[in-house]
Amino acid sequence: MKDVSFLQLAFAYLFMVIVLVLSYRTKVGREKEIVIACFRMTVQLIAVGYLLTIVFANPNPVWTILIIGLMGFFAVDNIKKRIRGNISEQFKRIIALSMWISSLVCLLYFVLIVIGISPWYNPQYFIPVAGMIFGNSMNGIALGATRLIKGFEEQAPRIETALMLGATPKKAAMPILRDAFDNALMPTINSMLGMGIVSLPGMMTGQILAGNSPLIATRYQIGIMLAIAGSVALASALLVEFGYKTFFNKKDQLQEMTGCRK
Amino acid sequence: MVSQIEEAFMFLLDNVIYKDILSVEHLLIKEGQTTSLFGPSGCGKTTLLRLLCGLISPTAGQVLYKEQNMEELDLVLHRKKVIMMPQISHAFPGNLRDNLNIGASFQERPNFTDAQLDNMLEQVSIKDKNLEDNPELFSGGEKQRLALARILLLEPEVILLDEPSAALDAQIEETIMGLLNAYKKQHQMTYVLVTHSEKIANAYSEVIVYMDDGRISRIEEKTS
């Protein structure tokens, strides 16, 4: 791949100058955020670049597992921050479990069985693939969880009407559960639809820039896309299937925190 | 007191407290009767209904349903027998047929036949409506009668009515109460009726429970 020097890279910051000028001239007032975001992006990526160089040069299962663990931890933390309003401890646990189970199952299946990497902890494969799977599952869960909470808040009277007619909690909440699952999965399905036509995905672009054959890059991309879809679907299903229960108590009554009346 | 307990009762509330909203030392709700809960809004009437159908549980004390402590009951099963009609009835997505069948689907029972549904619509005086019609377009009174039909189809033992006609005009109120009264005579129903109309309470119930600020202030049994 053609090398890019820091000097050359400096010219790319011209784009940020344009953004800043636009923000200032149109009185959007986001200059501070733009500078911070740009600075953090630069520092974080350079740091990761050095970190990965070291990790790739010294493959070690402990490092691989540690990095995967950190990625998962930050993904779960990010979801909790993205969801506004009060969420119960129980629901937080369901979020973490959905994230970990779905991502690990799909990650391990993809790198160990589909690609068949060797040694099994090879960080060069494990870490980028984990990043993509964790990132997408994180988005899916955040969308699904937000929808679930909103549904229970807004539709408490309708859920109670269903309970009054003898519905089980699951039956009473079913429309909300379907809606949450749908919301979690839609972005992944939409991105699959547009893939290759509207966008050349990051992983594939990277491989092509690095000089790999587009045909191999495509195969990787298809595989990773399927793994992502699988992980998002599994995560959403777990979230919905176990998450709704946290809105009810053991006596099949709607918990009061979801905003139902006296 | 003893003779009162020996009578067949549906509900018995014993030193029931729910948060700082409701405090009932003793209340007996008898089978085959209409018991009205009467009092100003915010006095705990609706909370009492919610306790009876198990949507909430008392903070202290116990509620007995047919001599069984409700804490020990499967409340989903309980709510198939004791159905509450909320103050405002929601139409569910779908047509009139779907809406009438939704109780059956919630309870995992087979759907009712169109003949059964038509018969029920006649009983609740919903006229000139087709089973394919969209109930979202119904008037408030029609939606309320639809909610009632939905419940009657399920043949519960007790119906808890939370001001079934509060949002409606006097004439529709009379119609709904008349319907309920006729149905009660046919099927030996037990009703608990929340109302803030003393006229309705007097006209349709055997027992009137006067409530104020979360407590029962007086119980009036009518001897007819």
Side-chain angles (χ1 to χ4, degrees), chain A:
Chain A
M1 182 163 57
K2 189 180 179 306
D3 193 16
V4 180
S5 70
F6 277 112
L7 184 67
Q8 285 172 293
L9 192 59
F11 282 104
Y13 282 90
L14 185 63
F15 293 117
M16 290 322 290
V17 175
I18 296 172
V19 176
L20 281 173
V21 169
L22 281 176
S23 170
Y24 180 74
R25 293 283 290 270
T26 55
K27 298 191 169 57
V28 173
R30 289 281 179 206
E31 295 88 58
K32 195 178 150 200
E33 283 91 339
I34 293 166
V35 171
I36 292 174
C38 181
F39 179 75
R40 276 191 58 171
M41 181 270 292
T42 307
V43 172
Q44 284 165 205
L45 286 182
I46 290 175
V48 156
Y50 279 112
L51 180 74
L52 291 181
T53 308
I54 298 166
V55 173
F56 290 176
N58 309 284
N60 182 317
V62 176
W63 276 109
T64 302
I65 292 170
L66 190 72
I67 290 174
I68 303 278
L70 280 175
M71 280 175 155
F73 173 81
F74 284 118
V76 171
D77 193 56
N78 188 292
I79 298 172
K80 288 177 192 165
K81 282 186 188 142
R82 271 169 66 179
I83 299 169
R84 269 170 253 128
N86 289 336
I87 45 175
S88 66
E89 285 305 312
Q90 255 181 316
F91 193 53
K92 284 182 192 164
R93 275 198 292 276
I94 301 291
I95 287 175
L97 274 177
S98 312
M99 179 79 207
W100 278 111
I101 294 174
S102 63
S103 301
L104 283 184
V105 166
C106 296
L107 173 65
L108 293 176
Y109 179 78
F110 185 69
V111 288
L112 300 182
I113 296 170
V114 177
I115 307 186
I117 59 169
S118 157
W120 67 266
Y121 53 83
N122 190 344
Q124 195 191 335
Y125 291 88
F126 234 117
I127 293 169
V129 173
M132 281 186 280
I133 291 183
F134 277 124
N136 283 280
S137 301
M138 176 180 83
N139 283 335
I141 291 178
L143 289 171
T146 304
R147 200 67 172 203
L148 205 59
I149 293 167
K150 202 167 153 226
F152 272 95
E153 275 170 2
E154 285 174 358
Q155 296 190 44
R158 185 169 282 196
I159 297 172
E160 287 214 319
T161 303
L163 290 177
M164 287 172 196
L165 290 165
T168 57
K170 191 170 188 179
K171 280 235 166 204
M174 195 48 92
I176 296 173
L177 307 192
R178 282 202 197 109
D179 188 47
F181 184 77
D182 199 41
N183 256 272
L185 203 56
M186 262 340 266
T188 306
I189 294 174
N190 285 336
S191 89
M192 279 166 87
L193 286 174
M195 198 140 285
I197 300 174
V198 184
S199 63
L200 280 186
M203 177 185 180
M204 198 169 126
T205 314
Q207 280 188 313
I208 294 171
L209 285 179
N212 280 331
S213 142
L215 293 176
I216 302 281
T218 317
R219 270 184 241 161
Y220 267 92
Q221 188 58 45
I222 292 171
I224 191 70
M225 213 43 233
L226 295 173
I228 286 171
S231 180
V232 173
L234 183 58
S236 319
L238 289 171
L239 177 82
V240 162
E241 182 64 35
F242 294 101
Y244 88 88
K245 292 181 185 170
T246 67
F247 292 87
F248 294 90
N249 63 22
K250 281 187 185 135
K251 292 176 208 156
D252 298 325
Q253 296 162 338
L254 196 56
Q255 301 263 37
E256 292 199 35
M257 54 157 280
T258 54
C260 73
R261 300 131 303 146
K262 56 180 177 178

Side-chain angles (χ1 to χ4, degrees), chain A residues 157-158 160-169 171-172 251-254 256 260-262, chain B residues 18-19 50 54-57 71 75-76 79-80 83-84 86 90-91 93 105-108:
Chain A
R158 185 169 282 196
E160 287 214 319
T161 303
L163 290 177
M164 287 172 196
L165 290 165
T168 57
K171 280 235 166 204
K251 292 176 208 156
D252 298 325
Q253 296 162 338
L254 196 56
E256 292 199 35
C260 73
R261 300 131 303 146
K262 56 180 177 178
Chain B
Y18 182 75
K19 296 185 178 170
R50 290 163 63 79
L55 280 179
I56 50 175
S57 295
E71 287 299 293
L75 290 178
V76 172
R79 289 192 287 256
K80 291 178 182 175
I83 299 186
M84 176 166 165
H90 299 271
S105 115
F106 283 148
Q107 299 192 7
E108 291 173 332

